[in-house]
């Protein structure tokens, strides 16, 4: 078998190039520079969105202009923008933002004015803003002061909600096999809004509507599973009715292990769902757990118990899963280094769902909040005008492999199927997206040399895992290797261990 492969290499070497890729940096070196590969375009369907977890509004605005728009990211999921509890005694944990005190837009990420400026600047850069909408509940703590200075007690939030606006269960959710328990009781003890009430629905719609008026283009619905689906549907219908000219993008957090009372399909009428199984499957395959291999991923899709592709937002990890919140499962995170980069290459290349890229701050403790001053003020990602992505902020979205594959996703979006699948029956795989792109992933501990059959037009392409086209289209950015595809659509390459290679028509050299 191996001899045949090598034979193919030499037979085609007149037309193809044998290329050696250094097992370099899927994970970036200390400073990651901007690589301009695409001009901004108005957001239509979200091809790739990035969750800039706990970033400030001012930083997100800068990132939209300097990095996200130019590199083809179409949307950002922002941390919840509402007034939240402030927990100095707990060291300002990240999760304080999931306890709502009011819908004033004053949060750890910035003021209402900062939020508006960010939305405008991102939209001008071709990047939509999706807000994390925490509408199932208010606080778990009995009393306190919020980030806009509001004094509250549990079930009593000035000028907003009174005790009659909450469900009567008033006990923590304990039984995920019981839909009533899940929707009427309190997720981790958080005061559970009575979302069947017209008054409560109207107050929630007012809040979300204000954000739409400001230019927010979509929402992640936090804890959607804990809101009766018909009530969430009523809320979202009212929101859409108020904004008939806005094509809102809705995706709902419904953790569905497949064994509980509430299922993701109950929510398809309201919008897309975050499919939590996908990241687990990817994690198991890339980690080689339970006999899983990359080759098995060829059939990944609905047959695996995933949502229909058009309904699903998918991710390798999210802010809960990367730190052991939100249930178990073997999810990869930035801490897995090259393995994580390769899993993201797969996610962005494989035509299933809408990919969500995670962008983290570094942490050791699962409770720890973002990089901050002693008073809890979040520190900027930028220092002296440069993004500081090699220390306290991780910026996975800037890793060359991930960023390059966002361009691949955009370029190949119109071909829905996988073509020319190849594997070694284990952890070396390759596949095309018709005549628009081709990817190869070597997750083995030895190099892969192979002649790949693609449907790409003849020409010279940049390996976008390393860098896309330079601004003038004449060279590859970041010294990315050039790959020659011959008239028959073949190229020959050697991929060192734990590396990937991806080509697409928008990163084809002009000469
Ligand atoms: C914090 C403290 C708690 C305390 C509570 C109230 O940690 O000890 O009781 O405050 O004072 C986040 C954090 C929580 C945090 C909460 C509020 O993760 O730790 O609680 O903020 O500050 C379920 C839900 C799912 C939810 C996960 C975490 O179904 O919706 O739990 N995920 C979202 C967000 C979280 C956020 C919240 C909801 C709350 O993404 O970041 O919580 O707004 C099985 C089930 C899952 C279940 C999972 C874990 O897998 O299938 O449905 O997920 O177990 O219980």
């Amino acid at each position: 078998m191996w001899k045949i492969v090598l034979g193919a290499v030499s037979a085609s070497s007149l037309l193809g190039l044998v290329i050696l890729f250094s097992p370099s940096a899927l994970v970036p070196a200390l400073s990651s520079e901007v690589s301009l590969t695409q001009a901004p375009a108005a957001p239509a369907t979200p091809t790739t969105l990035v969750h800039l977890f706990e970033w400030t509004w001012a930083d997100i605005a800068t990132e939209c202009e300097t990095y996200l728009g130019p590199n083809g990211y179409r949307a950002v999921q922002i941390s919840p923008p509402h007034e939240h509890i402030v927990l100095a005694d707990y060291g300002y944990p990240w999760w304080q933002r999931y306890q709502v005190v009011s819908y004033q837009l004053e949060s750890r990420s910035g003021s209402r004015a900062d939020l508006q400026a960010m939305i405008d600047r991102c939209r001008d850069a071709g990047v939509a803003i999706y807000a994390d909408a925490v509408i199932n509940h208010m606080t778990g703590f009995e009393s306190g002061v919020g980030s806009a200075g509001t004094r509250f007690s549990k079930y009593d939030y000035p000028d907003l909600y009174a005790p009659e606006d909450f469900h009567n269960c008033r006990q923590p959710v304990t039984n995920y096999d019981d839909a009533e328990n899940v929707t009427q009781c309190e997720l981790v003890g958080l005061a559970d809004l009575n979302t069947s009430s017209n008054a409560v629905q109207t107050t929630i719609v007012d809040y979300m509507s204000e954000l739409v008026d400001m230019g927010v283009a979509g929402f992640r619905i936090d804890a959607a599973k804990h809101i009766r689906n018909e009530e969430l549907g009523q809320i979202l219908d009212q929101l859409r009715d108020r904004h008939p000219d806005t094509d809102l993008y809705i995706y709902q957090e419904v953790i569905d292990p497949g064994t509980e009372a509430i299922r993701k399909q109950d929510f398809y009428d309201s919008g897309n769902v975050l499919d939590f199984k996908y990241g687990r499957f990817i994690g198991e395959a890339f980690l080689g757990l339970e006999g899983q291999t990359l080759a098995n991923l060829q059939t990944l899709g609905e047959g695996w118990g995933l949502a229909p592709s058009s309904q699903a937002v998918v991710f390798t990890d999210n802010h809960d899963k990367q730190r052991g919140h939100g249930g178990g499962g073997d999810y990869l995170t930035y801490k897995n280094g090259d393995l994580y980069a390769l899993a993201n290459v797969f996610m962005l290349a494989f035509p299933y769902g809408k990919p969500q890229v995670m962008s983290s701050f570094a942490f050791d403790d699962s409770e720890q909040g973002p990089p901050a001053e002693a008073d809890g003020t979040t520190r900027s990602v930028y220092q002296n005008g440069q993004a500081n992505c090699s220390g306290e902020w991780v910026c996975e979205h800037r890793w060359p492999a991930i960023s390059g594959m966002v361009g691949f996703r955009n370029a190949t979006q119109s071909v829905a199927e996988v073509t020319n699948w190849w594997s070694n029956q284990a952890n070396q795989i390759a596949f095309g997206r018709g005549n628009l792109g081709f990817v190869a992933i070597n997750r083995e501990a030895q190099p892969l040399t192979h002649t790949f059959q693609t449907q790409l037009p003849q020409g010279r392409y940049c390996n976008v895992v390393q860098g896309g086209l330079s601004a003038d289209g004449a060279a590859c950015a970041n010294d990315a290797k050039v790959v020659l595809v011959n008239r028959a659509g073949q190229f020959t390459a050697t991929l060192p261990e734990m590396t990937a290679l991806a080509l697409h028509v928008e990163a084809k050299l002009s000469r």
Side-chain angles (χ1 to χ4, degrees):
M1 161 78 184
W2 199 237
K3 270 187 180 155
I4 295 168
V5 171
L6 290 175
V9 171
S10 53
S12 65
S13 59
L14 284 179
L15 291 171
L17 276 185
V18 177
I19 298 141
L20 280 168
F21 296 97
S22 65
S24 65
L26 292 175
V27 179
L30 286 187
S31 97
S32 48
E33 291 304 319
V34 174
S35 81
L36 300 179
T37 55
Q38 290 185 337
T45 50
T47 38
T48 304
L49 60 130
V50 55
H51 181 195
L52 295 181
F53 180 50
E54 286 285 6
W55 282 45
T56 65
W57 306 152
D59 279 358
I60 294 174
T62 304
E63 194 68 359
C64 281
E65 293 170 344
T66 60
Y67 197 89
L68 300 178
N71 284 284
Y73 285 95
R74 295 284 190 254
V76 180
Q77 178 184 307
I78 61 170
S79 285
H82 60 253
E83 179 181 13
H84 53 81
I85 196 169
V86 178
L87 297 171
D89 292 351
Y90 291 74
Y92 309 102
W94 64 269
W95 47 260
Q96 64 182 19
R97 301 189 65 172
Y98 288 89
Q99 302 204 19
V100 189
V101 170
S102 84
Y103 298 134
Q104 290 181 67
L105 299 170
E106 305 288 332
S107 70
R108 185 176 201 166
S109 284
S111 66
R112 189 183 194 287
D114 297 333
L115 178 68
Q116 182 68 72
M118 172 198 71
I119 295 167
D120 294 344
R121 286 171 61 188
C122 287
R123 188 171 46 197
D124 289 349
V127 183
I129 296 299
Y130 300 155
D132 198 347
V134 184
I135 57 175
N136 171 65
H137 52 259
M138 299 295 282
T139 64
F141 281 75
E142 293 300 327
S143 63
V145 180
S147 50
T150 304
R151 287 191 174 279
F152 69 90
S153 58
K154 194 178 180 186
Y155 311 116
D156 209 340
Y157 302 87
D159 303 324
L160 195 66
Y161 295 124
E164 62 268 23
D165 294 320
F166 294 87
H167 283 137
N168 291 326
C169 171
R170 312 256 165 130
Q171 297 293 320
V173 171
T174 51
N175 184 2
Y176 279 97
D177 296 333
D178 176 357
E180 284 295 291
N181 186 267
V182 175
T183 58
Q184 307 301 295
C185 298
E186 300 188 340
L187 168 62
V188 293
L190 297 158
D192 199 63
L193 284 164
N194 176 6
T195 40
S196 70
S197 143
N198 285 338
V200 169
Q201 289 191 2
T202 302
T203 306
I204 292 171
V205 174
D206 288 347
Y207 164 54
M208 296 175 77
S209 191
E210 178 182 7
L211 289 168
V212 178
D213 284 337
M214 291 173 74
V216 163
F219 294 95
R220 167 190 186 266
I221 308 295
D222 180 71
K225 173 173 165 176
H226 300 273
I227 306 173
R228 278 194 183 129
N229 60 343
E230 65 268 26
E231 293 164 8
L232 180 55
Q234 288 157 8
I235 290 167
L236 294 172
D237 283 350
Q238 291 174 60
L239 181 67
R240 290 183 174 112
D241 286 349
R242 286 206 209 170
H243 303 274
D245 299 327
T246 307
D247 187 17
L248 282 177
Y249 183 63
I250 302 290
Y251 55 114
Q252 305 161 94
E253 191 223 8
V254 183
I255 303 179
D256 177 5
T259 52
E260 296 180 0
I262 297 188
R263 299 157 317 159
K264 57 193 170 198
Q265 54 265 39
D266 302 336
F267 292 81
Y268 295 167
D269 285 347
S270 303
N272 284 179
V273 294
L274 287 153
D275 200 316
F276 281 74
K277 282 186 173 171
Y278 184 93
R280 185 162 64 76
F281 290 144
I282 299 285
E284 287 169 359
F286 277 81
L287 287 165
L289 300 178
E290 296 172 34
Q292 289 296 319
T293 63
L294 268 54
N296 293 348
L297 293 175
Q298 181 178 8
T299 57
L300 185 67
E302 257 188 280
W304 291 47
L306 295 175
S309 178
S310 63
Q311 294 280 2
V313 174
V314 297
F315 49 88
T316 50
D317 60 331
N318 76 352
H319 71 282
D320 286 331
K321 291 296 185 183
Q322 69 173 193
R323 49 176 50 69
H325 284 234
D330 292 291
Y331 290 78
L332 294 166
T333 74
Y334 75 88
K335 293 174 193 261
N336 294 95
D338 283 352
L339 193 58
Y340 183 71
L342 290 182
N344 277 279
V345 168
F346 177 83
M347 173 178 80
L348 291 161
F350 195 75
Y352 173 84
K354 298 177 184 72
Q356 174 174 21
V357 169
M358 179 68 204
S359 190
S360 315
F361 58 82
F363 66 91
D364 299 313
D365 168 354
S366 68
E367 311 287 302
Q368 163 188 342
E373 307 303 339
D375 67 356
T377 305
T378 302
R379 264 200 295 274
S380 175
V381 174
Y382 297 93
Q383 285 167 8
N384 305 320
Q386 292 292 313
N388 163 28
C389 290
S390 52
E392 53 189 26
W393 298 96
V394 184
C395 312
E396 296 91 317
H397 69 283
R398 281 181 173 238
W399 290 11
I402 295 176
S403 176
M405 291 306 292
V406 169
F408 182 101
R409 187 76 172 199
N410 288 332
T412 58
Q413 186 69 4
S414 62
V415 172
E417 62 273 6
V418 162
T419 52
N420 301 94
W421 177 274
W422 172 88
S423 85
N424 70 342
Q425 309 298 324
N427 290 305
Q428 296 175 332
I429 60 171
F431 58 92
R433 299 287 299 277
N435 58 2
L436 298 177
F438 195 88
V439 65
I441 300 174
N442 179 16
R443 187 256 175 275
E444 305 272 17
Q446 61 271 345
L448 161 64
T449 298
H450 187 69
T451 296
F452 297 97
Q453 180 65 57
T454 82
Q455 295 176 22
L456 288 170
Q458 180 178 17
R460 298 166 69 228
Y461 294 78
C462 305
N463 176 9
V464 297
V465 170
Q466 300 173 314
L469 279 187
S470 61
D472 63 1
C476 298
N478 302 340
D479 296 324
K481 292 293 188 297
V482 177
V483 178
L484 181 61
V485 174
N486 71 18
R487 256 173 305 164
Q490 297 167 332
F491 70 92
T492 301
T494 294
L495 284 78
E497 65 189 74
M498 296 298 288
T499 62
L501 176 159
L503 318 177
H504 64 75
V505 287
E506 287 175 17
K508 181 169 179 281
L509 293 168
S510 46
R511 294 188 304 275

